[in-house]
Amino acid sequence: MGRELVTGNYAAGYTLALAGEANRSGRGCGAGAYPITPQTEIVEYLRGFEFTKGAVVPVESEHSAMGVCIGAALAGARSFTASSSNGLAYMTENVFAAGYYRLPIVMIAVNRTLGPPWNIWVDQGDSLALRDAAWLQFYTESHQELVDTILLAFRVGEDPRVLLPVMVAEDGFVTSHTQMIVDLPEQELVDRYLPPCRVPHQLTHARPTTVGGLTWPKETTHHRHEIQEAMERVPEVLAEAINEFEQVFGRRPHGALSAEYTDDAQTVLIACNTMTRTLRRVVEERRARGEKIGLIMQKMFRPFPRQELLRAVTQAQRVGVLDRNYSPGSGGIMWTEIAATLQHRPDILVQDYLVGLGGGDVTPQDISAIVDELQSRQTAGDPVWKEVAA
Amino acid sequence: MSTAMAPVSKTHCDNVLRPGNTNCAGCGMSLGLHWLDEALSEERPFMVIPACCGIVTAGAFPTTAYGVPTAASTFASSPAVATGISQILRMNGEENPVICWAGDGGTYDIGIATLSAAAERNEDMIYVCYDNEIYGNTGGQRSSATPEGVRTSTSPRGKVEQKKDMMGIMAAHRIPYAATLSLAHRDDFLRKVRIARETKGFRFLLMLSPCPTGWKSEPAEGIDLIRTAVGCGLFPLYEVYEGLRYRINARPDGTPLESYISRQKRYTAAKVDPQLIRNFISEQWRYLDAMARAFPAD
Ligand SMILES: Cc1ncc(C[n+]2csc(CCOP(=O)(O)OP(=O)(O)O)c2C)c(N)n1
Ligand code: SF4
C-alpha cells in the first residue's frame, strides 16, 4: 500500500484485516461485527474484506460480537473486533470472559463518552472502565501509532509468555474520522511479522477439557496470579516485538511510554491519545523559552508501566495529569494510577486536571493555563475541573 | 488421548457425560446427555454450555465430567460462542457437531436475542434446550418457561404468566429443523437427534427435563412424569422442518392431567387450578393441529 491519506478507522480496519489474513496459514480468523459510532467503519471494512480463510459474523449485539471472538479463539483462530462507549459497556461481561479465558483477542476501542446523556465525542472513560478485565491496554496518539500498535498487539498478546487479549484505543472522531498520511503495511510484511496464531488451550478432541468451568478459591487465586505474571512479562515481550517491528517495517513504534524532554524537566505533564499532540506543542514552545518542562505520552495503561514512569520523572518536582475521563467519587483514572506509583517519590507534587471531558476541544491555550496553574501550586489538591470553550 | 477419536460403541455411550458428575439424582440431563451421545454415534461433538446446572455438572477444575471439548460460556452467549467455534472448525474442514446445551433460562430468557440471531444466520450448530421450567442452578426461580400457576421462589403465590412457546418462536425463524424430545420416548428421541445430526444449519431441540429438586417430585418418577406430560397433551411431541412443515409424533392418549400435577409439589403447593392447565393444553393443540393441517410434513 505504501503511504496513503486515510482516516483512523480505515487504518485500523485495514490493519486488522491484514493481521487476520496473515493467519490463513494457520487456523484462519474470526470476528464478530456490530456497529456503533464512531467505530462503525472498522467493522464495515472487515465485513467487506475478502479473507482467504476467515469469517466476520454480523451479530445482533456487542455482547455476541465478543462471544463470537471467544468461540473463534477457542477454536484456535486469530480473532478481533472493535467497539466504542455503550457498545463496550454492553460487551463488558464477555470482555472479562475473554481476559479470564486467556484468549489473545485484539479489540479496537474507539473512545467515546458513555451515555446517557448521549454524546458521541471522545472521552477515554469507556475503555478505562475495562482496565480490570485482564486485557492489555494501549492508547494511541496518531494514525501511524494506531496501525503499528495493532500489529504489536497481535504479536504481544499471542506470545506464549503473555496470552492475553489486547485493547488498542484511538480517539473518537479526532483520530477515527480525520485523515493523516500513514504508512500502511503490505500483506507480505505482516505475514512476516505475525507468525500463525497458536492458542495452547484450544478446544480439541486430542485433549478434551472444559474451558471456563468451576474453580475453587485456591485455583482462582492461582489463575489470577498467573495473569499477573503474564502481565509482568509484557515489558520484555513488548521490547522484543518493537525491535522486530523495526527490522520488518523499518520504523520504531513507541513502547509503554514516550518520555520527551524529561531528562532535566522539573515540570512534567502526562496525557494519552491525541491530547498528547497538543501538549507536545505547548511543551516545545515553553522549552524554546528556556523552561525545564517535559511530557509523557502514556501509551500502555495495562499493565501499568510503573518502572518506566518512575524513570521518566527523576528530576521532576511537579507532575500534572491530563485526564479525559472521570471516575465519579474519585477523579481521573490515569491520575489515581500515576499518583499510586509516585508515592515512591513523595517530593513530587502530583495534580490531576479533568479536561476535555465529553469531547471538549482542548486547545494549546487551555493546556498552557493548566501548566501555569500547576507551576503556581505549593501543594497538590483535589482534581481540578478545567472547563474548555466547546 | 488418541482414543478420543475412536468410534464409540453403543455399549460405551458415556463419552459426552462421564460418571461422577454432580447432577442431582433423577436429573433429566443425565439421561438426555447419554442419549444425545448415543445418537451422535461416531460423531464427536464440541459442546458449549452457558451458566446453568449443565455446567456445574462438570464439577470443579481440574476435573471435568465432560469427556468432549467443552466451552463454559457466559449465560447469554452460548450460540455466539458456538458460532465462533463452528465457523472456524468448518473453514478448517472439521465437520464435528457443535452443540449448545442450555437451560430454559439461557434459552427463553437471557439468551434469546443471541439464540435468535444465530438461528437467523442459520449457523451450523445443534442447540439443545433442556427445559426444566425453572432456574435450577440459582435455586429454583421462575423463568418464562415456567408453567402458569406453578410456585417457585420468585413466584411464591404461583406464576401469573403462561409458558412461552419457544418452539413456535424457533419455527418462525424457518430453521432447517426443530423438534421436541421426550425422555420417555427413546426411539423418537434418538431418531430426532439423528435427523438433527444429518441436517446442516441451525437445529433446535427442546427436551422437557425432569428436575426433582425444582419440581419437588420423586427422583425415581422423572421419566414417568415426562411420559405423563406427553400423554396428557401438556408436552406435545412434534417436529418442524424449515419452519413450515409440521409433523406431530404423538397425540394425547387420555392420560389424566392430575397424574402429572399431583406428583409435583410445585403444582400442588400452589393449588394450581387444573382448568387453567387444561385450557392451555387445548389452546396449544388447536394451534398445533392448525399448523400441521396448513403445513403438513407428509
Ligand atoms: C449474566 C448472569 N446473570 C445471572 C447469572 C446467575 N445464574 C447462573 S445460572 C442461572 C439460572 C440458569 O437457569 P437455566 O438456564 O434454566 O438452567 P438450570 O440452572 O435450570 O439448569 C442464573 C440466573 C449468571 N451466571 N450470569
Ligand atoms: S437442580 Fe434440577 S436441573 Fe439442576 S442438576 Fe438438579 S435436577 Fe438437574
Side-chain angles (χ1 to χ4, degrees), chain A residues 53 94 101 206 209-211 214, chain B residues 1 61 64 70 72 74 77 92:
Chain A
K53 193 176 177 184
N94 278 339
Y101 285 125
T209 52
T210 297
V211 178
L214 309 183
Chain B
M1 241 205 295
F61 179 87
T64 173
T70 300
T74 52
S77 292
N92 284 282

Side-chain angles (χ1 to χ4, degrees), chain B:
Chain B
M1 241 205 295
S2 55
T3 51
M5 294 299 284
V8 185
S9 72
K10 286 200 173 171
T11 52
H12 185 259
C13 59
D14 59 350
N15 258 23
V16 168
L17 182 67
R18 295 159 169 161
N21 62 72
T22 67
N23 287 347
C24 304
C27 175
M29 276 197 294
S30 303
L31 187 58
L33 284 162
H34 281 305
W35 285 1
L36 176 77
D37 201 344
E38 183 176 344
L40 290 175
S41 186
E42 266 110 278
E43 298 208 39
R44 300 287 73 206
F46 286 74
M47 303 284 287
V48 182
I49 307 180
C52 60
C53 283
I55 199 60
V56 180
T57 302
F61 179 87
T63 59
T64 173
Y66 287 109
V68 294
T70 300
S73 81
T74 52
F75 197 10
S77 292
S78 67
V81 172
T83 294
I85 294 173
S86 169
Q87 293 267 357
I88 300 302
L89 293 186
R90 299 300 177 261
M91 74 177 67
N92 284 282
E94 296 157 16
E95 295 303 319
N96 308 55
V98 177
I99 299 181
C100 290
W101 180 264
D104 47 292
T107 304
Y108 289 65
D109 290 348
I110 199 168
I112 194 168
T114 320
L115 171 60
S116 168
E120 183 256 342
R121 296 190 307 268
N122 200 24
E123 298 289 347
D124 195 21
M125 67 176 75
I126 301 174
Y127 188 103
V128 188
C129 171
Y130 66 94
D131 181 4
N132 60 7
E133 305 188 316
I134 203 167
Y135 288 9
N137 187 37
T138 37
Q141 297 76 32
R142 83 184 279 285
S143 79
S144 57
T146 303
E148 185 176 2
V150 158
R151 184 200 272 188
T152 71
S153 68
T154 51
S155 56
R157 285 168 291 280
K159 192 185 173 218
V160 180
E161 305 83 5
Q162 281 197 352
K163 182 181 173 93
K164 196 188 270 181
D165 177 11
M166 201 63 208
M167 277 291 283
I169 290 168
M170 295 316 292
H173 286 74
R174 308 278 190 268
I175 51 175
Y177 189 61
T180 57
L181 302 177
S182 157
L183 287 170
H185 296 73
R186 178 180 151 87
D187 291 346
D188 184 73
F189 188 116
L190 295 178
R191 181 182 63 81
K192 286 170 174 169
V193 179
R194 288 188 188 116
I195 292 173
R197 185 191 73 188
E198 301 307 329
T199 306
K200 278 264 157 214
F202 199 90
R203 294 142 279 168
F204 180 77
L205 300 173
L206 182 67
M207 174 184 107
L208 184 62
S209 193
C211 171
T213 313
W215 293 8
K216 316 267 183 269
S217 57
E218 282 303 314
E221 291 184 6
I223 308 303
D224 194 51
L225 283 173
I226 301 299
R227 184 176 303 115
T228 316
V230 174
C232 73
L234 188 57
F235 185 67
L237 283 185
Y238 67 111
E239 51 198 328
V240 190
Y241 294 82
E242 304 294 344
L244 287 171
R245 290 186 292 124
Y246 282 68
R247 181 185 292 126
I248 294 169
N249 311 116
R251 300 201 65 81
D253 59 10
T255 305
L257 172 66
E258 282 67 20
S259 65
Y260 182 65
I261 58 179
S262 65
R263 289 186 281 165
Q264 304 175 56
K265 284 208 195 71
R266 61 172 179 157
Y267 281 105
T268 53
K271 298 199 174 59
V272 180
D273 177 4
Q275 198 49 45
L276 269 182
I277 309 171
R278 277 192 208 100
N279 292 346
F280 177 85
I281 291 175
S282 65
E283 287 294 292
Q284 169 170 272
W285 277 94
R286 207 158 65 83
Y287 177 79
L288 203 53
D289 280 333
M291 296 304 277
R293 229 175 294 118
F295 303 103
D298 307 296

Side-chain angles (χ1 to χ4, degrees), chain A residues 248-284:
Chain A
V248 174
F249 298 102
R251 329 180 267 285
R252 197 173 168 80
H254 292 301
L257 305 171
S258 171
E260 301 169 26
Y261 313 106
T262 50
D263 285 351
D264 64 347
Q266 293 169 354
T267 303
V268 174
L269 278 291
I270 306 180
C272 78
N273 281 12
T274 56
M275 211 198 293
T276 319
R277 299 161 66 84
T278 316
L279 170 62
R280 185 175 292 120
R281 178 171 148 189
V282 172
V283 166
E284 286 175 352

Side-chain angles (χ1 to χ4, degrees), chain A residues 179-235:
Chain A
Q179 292 183 309
M180 284 179 95
I181 293 176
V182 189
D183 244 321
L184 290 175
E186 305 284 343
Q187 184 69 58
E188 190 198 328
L189 294 186
V190 177
D191 291 350
R192 194 136 61 88
Y193 187 61
L194 297 178
C197 170
R198 231 187 67 72
V199 180
H201 48 311
Q202 172 194 327
L203 295 172
T204 163
H205 276 278
R207 182 181 37 83
T209 52
T210 297
V211 178
L214 309 183
T215 55
W216 298 110
K218 191 168 155 205
E219 283 75 27
T220 306
T221 307
H222 281 180
H223 172 249
R224 300 297 197 267
H225 193 247
E226 281 179 7
I227 290 175
Q228 177 57 25
E229 287 174 333
M231 287 281 185
E232 283 164 14
R233 289 189 286 267
V234 167

